[in-house]
């Protein structure tokens, strides 16, 4: 029941569907401009990303293009976030990214999907939120599926597919991602 309350559904041929399509067009225009920039254009990337999400990002936000989004206006971003090249965020269901998060190259954060029933796949778009806690590291090629929460200080290993909530202070890996160990903060 809890997941049903958080789920957003957009049916085709409705005013909500038309608004979603317009938002996708807006996001594609902004990300196309951003993707023409380089690492040396960090200030302009911050300006365009702020325009994409509708909120000013902090001066320590760093994103290395290219970056892809199907909306952007449902992304909430903490401070000192780093997003590496070729990240994709489909945010219809809402994406919350905490402070000090590091996102590796080729990461996909996907709140958006479709029903399993063949008769509904082309007529309904479903969005489930993703929450990424503070100080999380999502390594290269990881995929986060809508409806998951990644606990503070956790690490998602490269190539993992996260389909369930991840507790704080854990390292997860695999497909589907499973806890492989607890992370202790014992700097050597």
């Amino acid at each position: 029941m809890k997941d049903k309350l958080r789920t957003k559904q957009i049916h085709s041929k409705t005013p909500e569907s038309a608004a979603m399509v317009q938002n996708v067009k807006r996001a594609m225009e902004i990300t196309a401009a951003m993707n023409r920039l380089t690492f040396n254009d960090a200030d302009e990337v911050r300006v365009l990303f702020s325009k994409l999400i509708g909120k000013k990002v902090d001066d320590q936000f760093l994103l290395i293009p290219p970056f892809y989004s199907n909306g952007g206006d449902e992304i909430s971003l903490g401070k000192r976030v780093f997003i590496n090249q070729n990240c994709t965020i489909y945010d219809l269901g809402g994406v919350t990214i905490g402070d000090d998060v590091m996102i590796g190259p080729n990461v996909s954060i996907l709140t958006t999907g479709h029903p399993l029933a063949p008769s509904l796949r082309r007529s309904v778009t479903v969005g489930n939120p993703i929450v990424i806690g503070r100080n999380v590291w999502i390594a290269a090629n990881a995929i986060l599926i809508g409806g998951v929460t990644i606990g503070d200080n956790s690490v998602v290993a490269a190539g993992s597919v996260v389909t369930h909530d991840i507790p704080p202070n854990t390292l997860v890996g695999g497909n589907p991602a499973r806890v492989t160990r607890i992370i202790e903060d014992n700097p050597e």
Side-chain angles (χ1 to χ4, degrees), residues 16-138:
E16 294 82 11
S17 174
M20 181 178 68
V21 169
Q22 285 306 113
N23 198 37
V24 169
K25 289 178 182 178
R26 179 196 68 85
M28 291 184 77
E29 287 176 11
I30 295 168
T31 57
M34 190 180 339
N35 291 341
R36 289 190 288 272
L37 301 174
T38 69
F39 183 83
N40 294 325
D41 300 315
D43 290 337
E44 184 62 18
V45 168
R46 280 190 281 279
V47 167
L48 288 170
F49 199 86
S50 295
K51 182 177 178 182
L52 178 71
I53 68 171
K55 301 170 215 89
K56 186 178 184 316
V57 298
D58 76 292
D59 292 338
Q60 294 178 339
F61 171 74
L62 182 60
L63 180 145
I64 303 173
F67 173 82
Y68 305 96
S69 178
N70 71 335
D73 59 329
E74 297 291 333
I75 298 171
S76 175
L77 201 64
K79 296 179 181 175
R80 298 172 302 279
V81 171
F82 171 70
I83 300 175
N84 212 324
Q85 293 176 312
N86 212 38
C87 179
T88 298
I89 299 179
Y90 280 15
D91 62 301
L92 175 69
V95 174
T96 303
I97 300 173
D99 295 342
D100 301 303
V101 168
M102 299 187 312
I103 298 174
N106 301 311
V107 167
S108 294
I109 300 171
L110 309 171
T111 69
T112 310
H114 301 278
L116 293 177
S119 62
L120 297 176
R121 280 187 205 146
R122 292 188 175 270
S123 63
V124 180
T125 302
V126 179
N128 288 300
I130 294 175
V131 177
I132 301 170
R134 288 184 328 91
N135 204 33
V136 169
W137 173 22
I138 302 170

